[in-house]
Amino acid sequence: MTQIWLGLFSGIAFGFVIQRIGATDAHRMARSHLMLDADIPRFMVLTVALSAVGLFGLQSVGVGRTLPLPTSIVATGLAAVIFGIGWGLTGYCPGTTWAAAGEGRMDAIFALLGGLAGTALFAQLHETLIPVLYDPTNVGQITLTDLFGSHAAAVAVLTIGFGLCTWGIGSQSSSRQRR
């Protein structure tokens, strides 16, 4: 029961934060995709970076663990394309869809219904799609820790990568604003 309450509290807190940053506004999200507004992309990079460092800290003291799924190039690539199309058409990713629907935005409610319909369709086709899309290009579990040999090296690479992303987002956005 504690995990349910922790999940509920975390979801509400995250929803509050993404609402405050403006990620529940499809127009603001579109401006971010066009690199005209850097706040949301910076927030996303910072969120992932802090989560990675936090997870590393938890794993270092033996509390946190990850269970990465095997990676399938075709299935992951196709999922990324579908995800991107849905985000581009609606202006919302799955998390922001729920938060925007909670605000009462009708476009988000329709996006949420579409996402739920797509999820139901995928659940029905899952067993059929595994041998076709997933198994042929399954390359196993891929983690940065395995690639670099230690948690510390993986965190260092992530930190540098996220730092470069943040700098690139800021410089791209500022150059577009000057035009």
Side-chain angles (χ1 to χ4, degrees), residues 42-112:
R42 278 193 213 146
F43 164 74
M44 290 175 171
V45 170
L46 182 62
T47 300
V48 173
L50 290 176
S51 297
V53 171
L55 183 59
F56 167 71
L58 290 172
Q59 287 178 333
S60 296
V61 297
V63 176
R65 68 185 182 126
T66 58
L67 300 170
L69 296 173
T71 301
S72 172
I73 304 302
V74 170
T76 303
L78 182 60
V81 168
I82 293 169
F83 182 89
I85 290 170
W87 197 347
L89 288 174
T90 65
Y92 301 109
C93 72
T96 58
T97 302
W98 283 96
E103 287 182 349
R105 295 179 185 260
M106 287 306 294
D107 60 334
I109 292 170
F110 286 109
L112 182 61

Short mmCIF file of all heavy atoms in Angstrom, two decimals, residues 42-112:
data_model
loop_
_atom_site.label_atom_id
_atom_site.label_comp_id
_atom_site.label_asym_id
_atom_site.label_seq_id
_atom_site.Cartn_x
_atom_site.Cartn_y
_atom_site.Cartn_z
N ARG A 42 14.80 22.19 -21.62
CA ARG A 42 15.76 22.23 -20.50
C ARG A 42 15.22 21.50 -19.29
O ARG A 42 15.94 20.77 -18.62
CB ARG A 42 16.08 23.68 -20.13
CG ARG A 42 17.09 24.30 -21.01
CD ARG A 42 17.58 25.60 -20.40
NE ARG A 42 17.89 26.51 -21.47
CZ ARG A 42 17.74 27.80 -21.45
NH1 ARG A 42 17.28 28.40 -20.39
NH2 ARG A 42 18.07 28.54 -22.47
N PHE A 43 13.93 21.69 -19.00
CA PHE A 43 13.31 21.00 -17.88
C PHE A 43 13.37 19.49 -18.09
O PHE A 43 13.68 18.74 -17.16
CB PHE A 43 11.85 21.46 -17.73
CG PHE A 43 11.02 20.56 -16.87
CD1 PHE A 43 11.17 20.55 -15.49
CD2 PHE A 43 10.09 19.71 -17.44
CE1 PHE A 43 10.41 19.72 -14.70
CE2 PHE A 43 9.32 18.88 -16.66
CZ PHE A 43 9.48 18.87 -15.29
N MET A 44 13.09 19.03 -19.31
CA MET A 44 13.11 17.59 -19.58
C MET A 44 14.51 17.02 -19.40
O MET A 44 14.68 15.95 -18.79
CB MET A 44 12.61 17.32 -21.00
CG MET A 44 11.14 17.57 -21.18
SD MET A 44 10.72 17.37 -22.92
CE MET A 44 8.96 17.43 -22.84
N VAL A 45 15.50 17.69 -19.93
CA VAL A 45 16.88 17.21 -19.79
C VAL A 45 17.29 17.21 -18.32
O VAL A 45 17.89 16.24 -17.83
CB VAL A 45 17.85 18.07 -20.64
CG1 VAL A 45 19.29 17.75 -20.32
CG2 VAL A 45 17.58 17.85 -22.11
N LEU A 46 16.96 18.27 -17.60
CA LEU A 46 17.29 18.35 -16.18
C LEU A 46 16.59 17.24 -15.39
O LEU A 46 17.19 16.63 -14.51
CB LEU A 46 16.92 19.72 -15.63
CG LEU A 46 17.24 19.97 -14.16
CD1 LEU A 46 18.73 19.87 -13.92
CD2 LEU A 46 16.72 21.34 -13.73
N THR A 47 15.35 16.96 -15.70
CA THR A 47 14.60 15.90 -15.01
C THR A 47 15.26 14.54 -15.21
O THR A 47 15.46 13.79 -14.26
CB THR A 47 13.15 15.85 -15.52
OG1 THR A 47 12.53 17.11 -15.28
CG2 THR A 47 12.36 14.76 -14.84
N VAL A 48 15.62 14.23 -16.44
CA VAL A 48 16.26 12.94 -16.72
C VAL A 48 17.64 12.89 -16.06
O VAL A 48 18.01 11.87 -15.47
CB VAL A 48 16.34 12.68 -18.24
CG1 VAL A 48 17.15 11.44 -18.54
CG2 VAL A 48 14.96 12.58 -18.84
N ALA A 49 18.38 13.98 -16.12
CA ALA A 49 19.72 14.01 -15.52
C ALA A 49 19.64 13.82 -14.01
O ALA A 49 20.39 13.02 -13.43
CB ALA A 49 20.42 15.32 -15.86
N LEU A 50 18.77 14.54 -13.35
CA LEU A 50 18.64 14.40 -11.90
C LEU A 50 18.14 13.01 -11.51
O LEU A 50 18.58 12.44 -10.50
CB LEU A 50 17.72 15.47 -11.33
CG LEU A 50 18.26 16.89 -11.35
CD1 LEU A 50 17.21 17.88 -10.86
CD2 LEU A 50 19.53 17.01 -10.52
N SER A 51 17.25 12.46 -12.31
CA SER A 51 16.78 11.10 -12.04
C SER A 51 17.91 10.09 -12.18
O SER A 51 18.03 9.16 -11.37
CB SER A 51 15.64 10.73 -13.00
OG SER A 51 14.54 11.58 -12.80
N ALA A 52 18.75 10.26 -13.18
CA ALA A 52 19.88 9.34 -13.38
C ALA A 52 20.86 9.43 -12.22
O ALA A 52 21.33 8.41 -11.70
CB ALA A 52 20.58 9.66 -14.70
N VAL A 53 21.17 10.65 -11.78
CA VAL A 53 22.09 10.82 -10.66
C VAL A 53 21.46 10.27 -9.38
O VAL A 53 22.13 9.60 -8.58
CB VAL A 53 22.49 12.31 -10.50
CG1 VAL A 53 23.27 12.55 -9.22
CG2 VAL A 53 23.30 12.75 -11.71
N GLY A 54 20.16 10.52 -9.19
CA GLY A 54 19.48 9.99 -8.01
C GLY A 54 19.47 8.48 -7.99
O GLY A 54 19.70 7.85 -6.95
N LEU A 55 19.21 7.87 -9.15
CA LEU A 55 19.21 6.42 -9.23
C LEU A 55 20.61 5.87 -8.96
O LEU A 55 20.77 4.86 -8.27
CB LEU A 55 18.71 5.96 -10.60
CG LEU A 55 18.59 4.46 -10.80
CD1 LEU A 55 17.64 3.84 -9.77
CD2 LEU A 55 18.12 4.15 -12.20
N PHE A 56 21.63 6.54 -9.48
CA PHE A 56 23.00 6.12 -9.21
C PHE A 56 23.29 6.17 -7.71
O PHE A 56 23.88 5.26 -7.15
CB PHE A 56 24.00 7.03 -9.95
CG PHE A 56 25.41 6.87 -9.48
CD1 PHE A 56 26.12 5.71 -9.76
CD2 PHE A 56 26.03 7.87 -8.76
CE1 PHE A 56 27.42 5.56 -9.33
CE2 PHE A 56 27.33 7.73 -8.32
CZ PHE A 56 28.03 6.57 -8.61
N GLY A 57 22.84 7.23 -7.06
CA GLY A 57 23.02 7.34 -5.61
C GLY A 57 22.32 6.23 -4.86
O GLY A 57 22.89 5.64 -3.93
N LEU A 58 21.10 5.93 -5.24
CA LEU A 58 20.36 4.84 -4.60
C LEU A 58 21.04 3.49 -4.83
O LEU A 58 21.15 2.67 -3.91
CB LEU A 58 18.92 4.79 -5.11
CG LEU A 58 18.00 5.94 -4.66
CD1 LEU A 58 16.67 5.87 -5.40
CD2 LEU A 58 17.79 5.90 -3.16
N GLN A 59 21.51 3.27 -6.05
CA GLN A 59 22.19 2.00 -6.35
C GLN A 59 23.51 1.91 -5.59
O GLN A 59 23.91 0.82 -5.19
CB GLN A 59 22.43 1.86 -7.85
CG GLN A 59 21.16 1.57 -8.61
CD GLN A 59 21.37 1.47 -10.11
OE1 GLN A 59 22.29 2.06 -10.65
NE2 GLN A 59 20.50 0.73 -10.78
N SER A 60 24.17 3.03 -5.40
CA SER A 60 25.46 3.03 -4.68
C SER A 60 25.31 2.56 -3.24
O SER A 60 26.23 1.96 -2.70
CB SER A 60 26.08 4.43 -4.70
OG SER A 60 26.38 4.79 -6.02
N VAL A 61 24.17 2.86 -2.62
CA VAL A 61 23.96 2.44 -1.24
C VAL A 61 23.12 1.16 -1.16
O VAL A 61 22.69 0.76 -0.08
CB VAL A 61 23.31 3.56 -0.38
CG1 VAL A 61 24.25 4.75 -0.30
CG2 VAL A 61 21.96 3.98 -0.92
N GLY A 62 22.86 0.55 -2.30
CA GLY A 62 22.17 -0.73 -2.33
C GLY A 62 20.66 -0.66 -2.22
O GLY A 62 20.02 -1.67 -1.95
N VAL A 63 20.07 0.50 -2.45
CA VAL A 63 18.62 0.64 -2.33
C VAL A 63 17.94 0.54 -3.69
O VAL A 63 16.96 -0.18 -3.84
CB VAL A 63 18.24 1.98 -1.65
CG1 VAL A 63 16.74 2.16 -1.62
CG2 VAL A 63 18.83 2.05 -0.26
N GLY A 64 18.42 1.24 -4.67
CA GLY A 64 17.76 1.27 -5.98
C GLY A 64 18.27 0.17 -6.88
O GLY A 64 19.36 -0.35 -6.73
N ARG A 65 17.43 -0.21 -7.80
CA ARG A 65 17.83 -1.17 -8.82
C ARG A 65 17.04 -0.90 -10.09
O ARG A 65 15.94 -0.36 -10.05
CB ARG A 65 17.64 -2.61 -8.36
CG ARG A 65 16.21 -3.01 -8.20
CD ARG A 65 16.11 -4.41 -7.62
NE ARG A 65 14.71 -4.78 -7.54
CZ ARG A 65 14.20 -5.87 -8.06
NH1 ARG A 65 14.99 -6.71 -8.69
NH2 ARG A 65 12.93 -6.13 -7.95
N THR A 66 17.62 -1.29 -11.18
CA THR A 66 16.93 -1.15 -12.46
C THR A 66 16.81 -2.54 -13.08
O THR A 66 17.64 -3.41 -12.85
CB THR A 66 17.68 -0.23 -13.42
OG1 THR A 66 19.01 -0.75 -13.62
CG2 THR A 66 17.77 1.18 -12.89
N LEU A 67 15.80 -2.70 -13.85
CA LEU A 67 15.58 -3.95 -14.58
C LEU A 67 15.38 -3.61 -16.05
O LEU A 67 14.25 -3.56 -16.54
CB LEU A 67 14.36 -4.69 -14.03
CG LEU A 67 14.43 -5.08 -12.55
CD1 LEU A 67 13.08 -5.58 -12.07
CD2 LEU A 67 15.50 -6.12 -12.32
N PRO A 68 16.48 -3.29 -16.76
CA PRO A 68 16.32 -2.89 -18.16
C PRO A 68 15.81 -4.04 -19.00
O PRO A 68 16.21 -5.19 -18.84
CB PRO A 68 17.74 -2.48 -18.59
CG PRO A 68 18.65 -3.12 -17.59
CD PRO A 68 17.88 -3.32 -16.34
N LEU A 69 14.89 -3.72 -19.88
CA LEU A 69 14.36 -4.70 -20.81
C LEU A 69 15.34 -4.87 -21.97
O LEU A 69 16.09 -3.94 -22.29
CB LEU A 69 13.01 -4.24 -21.35
CG LEU A 69 11.90 -4.11 -20.33
CD1 LEU A 69 10.67 -3.47 -20.98
CD2 LEU A 69 11.56 -5.45 -19.73
N PRO A 70 15.32 -6.02 -22.61
CA PRO A 70 16.15 -6.18 -23.80
C PRO A 70 15.74 -5.17 -24.87
O PRO A 70 14.58 -4.78 -24.96
CB PRO A 70 15.85 -7.61 -24.25
CG PRO A 70 15.34 -8.31 -23.03
CD PRO A 70 14.63 -7.25 -22.23
N THR A 71 16.70 -4.75 -25.64
CA THR A 71 16.47 -3.74 -26.67
C THR A 71 16.25 -4.39 -28.03
O THR A 71 17.03 -5.24 -28.45
CB THR A 71 17.68 -2.79 -26.75
OG1 THR A 71 17.86 -2.18 -25.49
CG2 THR A 71 17.47 -1.72 -27.81
N SER A 72 15.20 -3.98 -28.69
CA SER A 72 14.92 -4.43 -30.05
C SER A 72 14.96 -3.20 -30.95
O SER A 72 14.18 -2.27 -30.77
CB SER A 72 13.56 -5.11 -30.13
OG SER A 72 13.23 -5.37 -31.48
N ILE A 73 15.85 -3.21 -31.90
CA ILE A 73 16.05 -2.04 -32.75
C ILE A 73 14.78 -1.68 -33.53
O ILE A 73 14.35 -0.53 -33.52
CB ILE A 73 17.23 -2.28 -33.73
CG1 ILE A 73 18.52 -2.65 -32.97
CG2 ILE A 73 17.44 -1.08 -34.63
CD1 ILE A 73 18.98 -1.63 -31.97
N VAL A 74 14.16 -2.63 -34.19
CA VAL A 74 12.98 -2.34 -35.01
C VAL A 74 11.80 -1.93 -34.14
O VAL A 74 11.14 -0.92 -34.40
CB VAL A 74 12.61 -3.54 -35.91
CG1 VAL A 74 11.26 -3.34 -36.59
CG2 VAL A 74 13.70 -3.76 -36.95
N ALA A 75 11.52 -2.70 -33.07
CA ALA A 75 10.37 -2.39 -32.22
C ALA A 75 10.55 -1.03 -31.54
O ALA A 75 9.61 -0.23 -31.49
CB ALA A 75 10.19 -3.49 -31.17
N THR A 76 11.75 -0.76 -31.04
CA THR A 76 11.99 0.52 -30.39
C THR A 76 11.92 1.67 -31.39
O THR A 76 11.34 2.72 -31.10
CB THR A 76 13.36 0.51 -29.68
OG1 THR A 76 13.40 -0.58 -28.75
CG2 THR A 76 13.62 1.82 -28.95
N GLY A 77 12.47 1.46 -32.58
CA GLY A 77 12.42 2.50 -33.61
C GLY A 77 11.00 2.80 -34.05
O GLY A 77 10.60 3.97 -34.17
N LEU A 78 10.21 1.76 -34.25
CA LEU A 78 8.81 1.94 -34.64
C LEU A 78 8.02 2.63 -33.53
O LEU A 78 7.23 3.54 -33.79
CB LEU A 78 8.18 0.60 -35.00
CG LEU A 78 6.73 0.63 -35.48
CD1 LEU A 78 6.60 1.49 -36.74
CD2 LEU A 78 6.23 -0.79 -35.73
N ALA A 79 8.27 2.22 -32.29
CA ALA A 79 7.60 2.86 -31.15
C ALA A 79 7.97 4.34 -31.07
O ALA A 79 7.12 5.19 -30.78
CB ALA A 79 7.96 2.15 -29.85
N ALA A 80 9.23 4.67 -31.33
CA ALA A 80 9.67 6.06 -31.30
C ALA A 80 8.97 6.89 -32.37
O ALA A 80 8.56 8.03 -32.14
CB ALA A 80 11.19 6.14 -31.47
N VAL A 81 8.81 6.31 -33.56
CA VAL A 81 8.13 7.02 -34.65
C VAL A 81 6.66 7.25 -34.28
O VAL A 81 6.13 8.36 -34.45
CB VAL A 81 8.26 6.23 -35.98
CG1 VAL A 81 7.33 6.79 -37.04
CG2 VAL A 81 9.70 6.27 -36.46
N ILE A 82 5.98 6.23 -33.77
CA ILE A 82 4.58 6.37 -33.38
C ILE A 82 4.44 7.39 -32.26
O ILE A 82 3.54 8.24 -32.28
CB ILE A 82 3.98 5.01 -32.97
CG1 ILE A 82 3.90 4.09 -34.20
CG2 ILE A 82 2.61 5.17 -32.33
CD1 ILE A 82 3.57 2.65 -33.87
N PHE A 83 5.34 7.32 -31.28
CA PHE A 83 5.34 8.28 -30.17
C PHE A 83 5.51 9.70 -30.69
O PHE A 83 4.78 10.62 -30.31
CB PHE A 83 6.47 7.93 -29.19
CG PHE A 83 6.55 8.80 -27.99
CD1 PHE A 83 5.85 8.49 -26.85
CD2 PHE A 83 7.37 9.92 -27.99
CE1 PHE A 83 5.93 9.29 -25.72
CE2 PHE A 83 7.47 10.73 -26.87
CZ PHE A 83 6.75 10.41 -25.73
N GLY A 84 6.48 9.90 -31.58
CA GLY A 84 6.74 11.22 -32.13
C GLY A 84 5.58 11.77 -32.95
O GLY A 84 5.25 12.96 -32.87
N ILE A 85 4.95 10.90 -33.73
CA ILE A 85 3.79 11.33 -34.52
C ILE A 85 2.66 11.76 -33.59
O ILE A 85 2.04 12.81 -33.78
CB ILE A 85 3.33 10.24 -35.49
CG1 ILE A 85 4.36 10.06 -36.60
CG2 ILE A 85 1.96 10.54 -36.07
CD1 ILE A 85 4.13 8.84 -37.49
N GLY A 86 2.40 10.96 -32.57
CA GLY A 86 1.34 11.30 -31.61
C GLY A 86 1.64 12.60 -30.89
O GLY A 86 0.75 13.45 -30.72
N TRP A 87 2.88 12.80 -30.48
CA TRP A 87 3.26 14.03 -29.79
C TRP A 87 3.14 15.22 -30.74
O TRP A 87 2.66 16.29 -30.37
CB TRP A 87 4.68 13.90 -29.27
CG TRP A 87 5.08 14.89 -28.22
CD1 TRP A 87 4.43 16.02 -27.84
CD2 TRP A 87 6.24 14.82 -27.40
NE1 TRP A 87 5.11 16.66 -26.84
CE2 TRP A 87 6.23 15.93 -26.55
CE3 TRP A 87 7.29 13.93 -27.30
CZ2 TRP A 87 7.23 16.18 -25.62
CZ3 TRP A 87 8.28 14.18 -26.37
CH2 TRP A 87 8.24 15.29 -25.54
N GLY A 88 3.55 15.03 -31.98
CA GLY A 88 3.46 16.12 -32.94
C GLY A 88 2.03 16.49 -33.29
O GLY A 88 1.70 17.67 -33.46
N LEU A 89 1.17 15.50 -33.40
CA LEU A 89 -0.24 15.76 -33.75
C LEU A 89 -1.02 16.39 -32.60
O LEU A 89 -1.87 17.25 -32.82
CB LEU A 89 -0.94 14.47 -34.18
CG LEU A 89 -0.55 13.89 -35.53
CD1 LEU A 89 -1.22 12.54 -35.75
CD2 LEU A 89 -0.92 14.86 -36.65
N THR A 90 -0.74 15.96 -31.37
CA THR A 90 -1.53 16.43 -30.23
C THR A 90 -0.87 17.56 -29.46
O THR A 90 -1.56 18.34 -28.81
CB THR A 90 -1.82 15.28 -29.26
OG1 THR A 90 -0.59 14.84 -28.67
CG2 THR A 90 -2.52 14.14 -29.94
N GLY A 91 0.45 17.63 -29.50
CA GLY A 91 1.17 18.61 -28.69
C GLY A 91 1.42 18.12 -27.27
O GLY A 91 1.87 18.88 -26.43
N TYR A 92 1.14 16.86 -27.02
CA TYR A 92 1.31 16.29 -25.68
C TYR A 92 2.04 14.96 -25.75
O TYR A 92 1.81 14.18 -26.66
CB TYR A 92 -0.05 16.02 -25.01
CG TYR A 92 -0.93 17.22 -24.84
CD1 TYR A 92 -2.08 17.36 -25.61
CD2 TYR A 92 -0.64 18.19 -23.90
CE1 TYR A 92 -2.91 18.45 -25.46
CE2 TYR A 92 -1.47 19.29 -23.74
CZ TYR A 92 -2.60 19.42 -24.51
OH TYR A 92 -3.42 20.50 -24.35
N CYS A 93 2.88 14.70 -24.75
CA CYS A 93 3.41 13.36 -24.55
C CYS A 93 2.48 12.68 -23.53
O CYS A 93 1.59 13.34 -22.98
CB CYS A 93 4.85 13.41 -24.06
SG CYS A 93 5.07 13.98 -22.37
N PRO A 94 2.64 11.40 -23.27
CA PRO A 94 1.68 10.74 -22.37
C PRO A 94 1.54 11.40 -20.99
O PRO A 94 0.42 11.56 -20.50
CB PRO A 94 2.24 9.32 -22.25
CG PRO A 94 2.91 9.10 -23.57
CD PRO A 94 3.53 10.42 -23.90
N GLY A 95 2.64 11.79 -20.37
CA GLY A 95 2.54 12.42 -19.05
C GLY A 95 1.84 13.76 -19.07
O GLY A 95 0.98 14.05 -18.22
N THR A 96 2.17 14.57 -20.06
CA THR A 96 1.54 15.88 -20.13
C THR A 96 0.08 15.78 -20.55
O THR A 96 -0.72 16.65 -20.23
CB THR A 96 2.30 16.83 -21.08
OG1 THR A 96 2.36 16.25 -22.38
CG2 THR A 96 3.71 17.09 -20.58
N THR A 97 -0.27 14.70 -21.27
CA THR A 97 -1.67 14.49 -21.65
C THR A 97 -2.54 14.34 -20.41
O THR A 97 -3.60 14.96 -20.30
CB THR A 97 -1.81 13.25 -22.55
OG1 THR A 97 -1.01 13.42 -23.70
CG2 THR A 97 -3.25 13.04 -22.98
N TRP A 98 -2.09 13.50 -19.47
CA TRP A 98 -2.87 13.29 -18.24
C TRP A 98 -2.99 14.59 -17.46
O TRP A 98 -4.06 14.92 -16.95
CB TRP A 98 -2.20 12.21 -17.37
CG TRP A 98 -2.46 10.84 -17.88
CD1 TRP A 98 -1.63 10.10 -18.69
CD2 TRP A 98 -3.61 10.03 -17.64
NE1 TRP A 98 -2.22 8.87 -18.96
CE2 TRP A 98 -3.43 8.80 -18.32
CE3 TRP A 98 -4.78 10.22 -16.91
CZ2 TRP A 98 -4.37 7.78 -18.29
CZ3 TRP A 98 -5.71 9.18 -16.88
CH2 TRP A 98 -5.50 8.00 -17.56
N ALA A 99 -1.88 15.34 -17.35
CA ALA A 99 -1.92 16.59 -16.59
C ALA A 99 -2.82 17.62 -17.27
O ALA A 99 -3.60 18.31 -16.60
CB ALA A 99 -0.50 17.14 -16.42
N ALA A 100 -2.73 17.73 -18.59
CA ALA A 100 -3.57 18.69 -19.31
C ALA A 100 -5.05 18.28 -19.25
O ALA A 100 -5.93 19.14 -19.13
CB ALA A 100 -3.11 18.82 -20.76
N ALA A 101 -5.32 16.98 -19.31
CA ALA A 101 -6.70 16.51 -19.16
C ALA A 101 -7.21 16.85 -17.76
O ALA A 101 -8.38 17.22 -17.60
CB ALA A 101 -6.79 15.01 -19.43
N GLY A 102 -6.34 16.73 -16.78
CA GLY A 102 -6.71 17.11 -15.41
C GLY A 102 -7.04 18.59 -15.29
O GLY A 102 -7.84 18.98 -14.43
N GLU A 103 -6.44 19.41 -16.14
CA GLU A 103 -6.75 20.84 -16.18
C GLU A 103 -8.08 21.10 -16.89
O GLU A 103 -8.60 22.20 -16.86
CB GLU A 103 -5.67 21.62 -16.95
CG GLU A 103 -4.38 21.78 -16.22
CD GLU A 103 -3.39 22.60 -17.04
OE1 GLU A 103 -3.63 22.87 -18.24
OE2 GLU A 103 -2.36 22.98 -16.47
N GLY A 104 -8.60 20.09 -17.59
CA GLY A 104 -9.86 20.24 -18.30
C GLY A 104 -9.69 20.65 -19.76
O GLY A 104 -10.67 21.06 -20.40
N ARG A 105 -8.50 20.52 -20.31
CA ARG A 105 -8.28 20.87 -21.72
C ARG A 105 -8.91 19.79 -22.60
O ARG A 105 -8.53 18.62 -22.53
CB ARG A 105 -6.79 21.00 -22.01
CG ARG A 105 -6.15 22.15 -21.28
CD ARG A 105 -4.66 22.20 -21.60
NE ARG A 105 -3.99 23.22 -20.83
CZ ARG A 105 -3.67 24.41 -21.31
NH1 ARG A 105 -3.96 24.74 -22.54
NH2 ARG A 105 -3.05 25.28 -20.53
N MET A 106 -9.87 20.16 -23.40
CA MET A 106 -10.61 19.20 -24.21
C MET A 106 -9.71 18.51 -25.24
O MET A 106 -9.88 17.31 -25.51
CB MET A 106 -11.79 19.87 -24.93
CG MET A 106 -12.94 20.22 -23.99
SD MET A 106 -13.55 18.82 -23.03
CE MET A 106 -14.24 17.79 -24.30
N ASP A 107 -8.75 19.23 -25.83
CA ASP A 107 -7.87 18.58 -26.80
C ASP A 107 -7.06 17.48 -26.13
O ASP A 107 -6.81 16.43 -26.71
CB ASP A 107 -6.97 19.60 -27.49
CG ASP A 107 -6.08 20.38 -26.53
OD1 ASP A 107 -6.44 20.53 -25.34
OD2 ASP A 107 -5.02 20.87 -26.97
N ALA A 108 -6.68 17.69 -24.88
CA ALA A 108 -5.92 16.67 -24.15
C ALA A 108 -6.80 15.46 -23.83
O ALA A 108 -6.32 14.33 -23.83
CB ALA A 108 -5.34 17.25 -22.87
N ILE A 109 -8.06 15.70 -23.58
CA ILE A 109 -8.96 14.58 -23.29
C ILE A 109 -9.09 13.69 -24.52
O ILE A 109 -9.04 12.46 -24.43
CB ILE A 109 -10.33 15.09 -22.79
CG1 ILE A 109 -10.14 15.73 -21.40
CG2 ILE A 109 -11.37 13.98 -22.77
CD1 ILE A 109 -11.33 16.48 -20.88
N PHE A 110 -9.19 14.30 -25.72
CA PHE A 110 -9.25 13.50 -26.94
C PHE A 110 -7.91 12.80 -27.20
O PHE A 110 -7.88 11.65 -27.66
CB PHE A 110 -9.65 14.37 -28.14
CG PHE A 110 -11.10 14.72 -28.13
CD1 PHE A 110 -11.53 16.02 -27.86
CD2 PHE A 110 -12.06 13.75 -28.38
CE1 PHE A 110 -12.87 16.34 -27.83
CE2 PHE A 110 -13.42 14.06 -28.37
CZ PHE A 110 -13.82 15.36 -28.09
N ALA A 111 -6.79 13.47 -26.91
CA ALA A 111 -5.48 12.84 -27.05
C ALA A 111 -5.36 11.66 -26.08
O ALA A 111 -4.83 10.60 -26.45
CB ALA A 111 -4.37 13.86 -26.78
N LEU A 112 -5.87 11.83 -24.88
CA LEU A 112 -5.85 10.76 -23.89
C LEU A 112 -6.68 9.56 -24.35
O LEU A 112 -6.24 8.41 -24.27
CB LEU A 112 -6.38 11.28 -22.55
CG LEU A 112 -6.39 10.31 -21.38
CD1 LEU A 112 -4.98 9.84 -21.06
CD2 LEU A 112 -7.00 10.98 -20.17
#
